[in-house]
Amino acid sequence: MSTEPSASPAIDADLEREIGAIPLVDHHVHGALVDDVSRREFEELITESNRPVPAWMTQFDSQVGFAVLRHCAPVLGLDPHPDPETYLARRGELGTEEVNRRLLTAAGIGHFLVETGYRGEEILDPARMSAVTGRPADEVVRLESVAERVVAEGTDAEGFAARFETALWERSRAARGLKTIVAYRHGLDFDPRPPTRGEVTAAAGRWLREVTRTGTVRVTDPVLLRHLIWRGIERGLPLQFHIGYGDPEVDLHRSDPLLLRGLIELAEPRSVPLLLLHCYPFHRNAGYLAQVYPNVYFDVGLGVNYTGARSVAVVAESMELAPFAKILFSSDAWGPAELHHLGALLWRRATARVLSGFVADGEWTREQATRVATMIGAGNARRVYGLGEAE
Ligand SMILES: [Zn+2]
């Protein structure tokens, strides 16, 4: 068994070592699983599909599945490329706590920014992520969750805006950033202007009547979603946007970041960093926005995990138009610690390969390559979120 750097002649071994040692800032991630999972549950967690896995196939036969068997098996004490049964048996033998400890620690993350808005009871909260890894883990607060809590706890339409305002400040007191899933709840093709107070009250009234009718508290009204985003911008913390690829609740053709142009321009005078997450397959569009607008940043997070051996191409495309100070690293892992591990490992692997090519071609010096990898992997996030120097 070997986890030595690749022997491929295209890789600059020194650069690969340096990139391997960067204490990454995972600027958009969720907790690792709390409980053991069955094979079916595990397979459903390594895809963005929310449908059952058909009996005639396995999610292990995919880029992310092969990457789990190749790269996570050695961390669990197996040779690379075991069959899925052997892998899951070993996983079960070690137990989720030990699997988390091994895979999260080996990812080499220096600082986690953990988004807590989705199925929080099934995954480790920021404090427990920090306890497992010994690294700081700060919170990113989801705007829609704050609004839904306000309604679940009881408000009338007239009181909604003020209650949301108070709740947002309370919930985000120690947070490093905010997040919106407007792409999931409506699409990015919304009127970019802040709604008036009257529009917000009317929309809150519609929402409250819907909650009474359906018994479900879920914000989908574009007026309210715009209101949350603008209050978020006024809060002044860096604001993350889900963009592009995700589960089928996202209408992918309405999640192209180019649709955010109006909002980006209206928000520009506030100088609040807008962070476009994942962006696949629109990451080149995100790179364009990051080049032309000073308030726009992006990552290719989720796209790296799910493209596995092909993630080298995705990372290469993320380094086309955008200034290097505008690109960040994230894993967007949720659940199996394999995803946290692979997010870091595949990004390091891809970055080492792409930058080695630039150095070998004589286009970049090795010093430039190391500096840029460190900016994307950690430095840019430290600056954007005000994390200070690495400990
Ligand atoms: Zn996420």
Side-chain angles (χ1 to χ4, degrees):
M1 186 182 82
S2 165
T3 51
E4 291 295 297
S6 162
S8 162
I11 311 296
D12 180 318
D14 290 336
L15 184 57
E16 188 178 42
R17 217 176 355 262
E18 283 163 351
I19 291 172
I22 298 169
L24 300 174
V25 176
D26 194 344
H27 90 108
H28 177 80
V29 62
H30 308 267
L33 286 173
V34 172
D35 295 319
D36 293 347
V37 286
S38 67
R39 172 162 186 167
R40 182 181 56 77
E41 289 165 328
F42 186 85
E43 291 206 27
E44 288 176 1
L45 288 168
I46 57 165
T47 169
E48 283 295 306
S49 177
N50 57 8
R51 311 298 204 259
V53 182
W56 41 264
M57 63 165 267
T58 164
Q59 290 294 356
F60 275 99
D61 283 343
S62 67
Q63 284 287 5
V64 65
F66 281 13
V68 167
L69 300 174
R70 163 64 185 91
H71 296 293
C72 300
V75 185
L76 303 194
L78 299 170
D79 287 333
H81 313 295
D83 56 43
E85 293 71 30
T86 306
Y87 183 80
L88 290 170
R90 177 66 178 153
R91 197 180 200 286
E93 193 179 288
L94 291 171
T96 295
E97 210 177 308
E98 175 62 10
V99 167
N100 284 348
R101 193 190 62 73
R102 290 191 186 201
L103 289 170
L104 292 178
T105 308
I109 301 297
H111 202 126
F112 294 94
L113 297 183
V114 184
E115 204 242 87
T116 49
Y118 182 63
R119 289 162 64 187
E121 61 296 335
E122 296 167 54
I123 52 170
L124 301 179
D125 64 17
R128 290 171 77 191
M129 287 290 284
S130 182
V132 173
T133 57
R135 306 305 309 162
D138 289 318
E139 189 176 8
V140 172
V141 170
R142 188 184 280 199
L143 292 168
E144 290 80 6
S145 303
V146 176
E148 287 165 358
R149 169 86 68 94
V150 164
V151 166
E153 288 176 352
T155 178
D156 56 11
E158 289 70 30
F160 170 76
R163 284 206 172 84
F164 173 73
E165 187 92 24
T166 307
L168 177 60
W169 279 84
E170 277 171 9
R171 274 292 283 119
S172 65
R173 197 172 293 143
R176 295 289 188 176
L178 302 173
K179 155 101 186 277
T180 172
I181 53 163
V182 63
Y184 272 101
R185 295 301 179 80
H186 175 76
L188 301 178
D189 48 351
F190 55 88
D191 177 348
R193 292 166 303 176
T196 65
R197 186 54 80 103
E199 287 171 326
V200 172
T201 302
R206 290 196 296 275
W207 186 20
L208 292 173
R209 286 193 292 280
E210 180 195 298
V211 170
T212 310
R213 199 174 61 246
T214 62
T216 314
V217 183
R218 196 164 182 279
V219 59
T220 56
D221 187 312
V223 172
L224 294 174
L225 293 164
R226 283 158 57 205
H227 175 68
L228 309 190
I229 289 167
W230 276 104
R231 287 289 88 80
I233 289 168
E234 271 164 31
R235 173 67 183 81
L237 291 169
L239 177 56
Q240 303 178 348
F241 285 75
H242 177 96
I243 304 286
Y245 177 58
D247 71 46
E249 276 186 37
V250 99
D251 190 357
L252 197 60
H253 88 281
R254 294 168 66 198
S255 69
D256 184 327
L258 296 179
L259 294 166
L260 287 178
R261 176 172 176 260
L263 181 77
I264 291 166
E265 293 197 348
L266 286 174
E268 195 177 339
R270 317 272 181 139
S271 303
V272 170
L274 306 178
L275 298 121
L276 312 180
L277 304 175
H278 330 310
C279 303
Y280 183 89
F282 307 115
H283 46 287
R284 284 176 147 162
N285 299 2
Y288 163 74
L289 294 170
Q291 182 186 67
V292 299
Y293 294 113
N295 51 338
V296 174
Y297 299 76
F298 82 111
D299 71 43
V300 283
L302 199 55
V304 171
N305 264 344
Y306 284 101
T307 53
R310 276 287 291 165
S311 58
V312 181
V314 175
V315 168
E317 287 169 359
S318 77
M319 289 192 224
E320 289 175 347
L321 288 187
F324 306 128
K326 308 295 283 302
I327 311 171
L328 278 71
F329 160 76
S330 85
S331 69
D332 193 34
W334 189 102
E338 281 81 354
L339 299 178
H340 300 78
H341 186 74
L342 288 176
L345 185 144
L346 292 174
W347 181 84
R348 293 186 204 271
R349 171 185 171 279
T351 302
R353 278 166 170 71
V354 172
L355 299 189
S356 289
F358 298 164
V359 173
D361 290 344
E363 302 294 334
W364 290 29
T365 66
R366 178 175 312 134
E367 291 66 35
Q368 285 174 323
T370 305
R371 190 165 64 78
V372 167
T374 308
M375 289 167 71
I376 298 173
N380 293 337
R382 292 199 166 277
R383 184 183 73 252
V384 168
Y385 293 94
L387 303 180
E389 294 296 309
E391 289 161 33

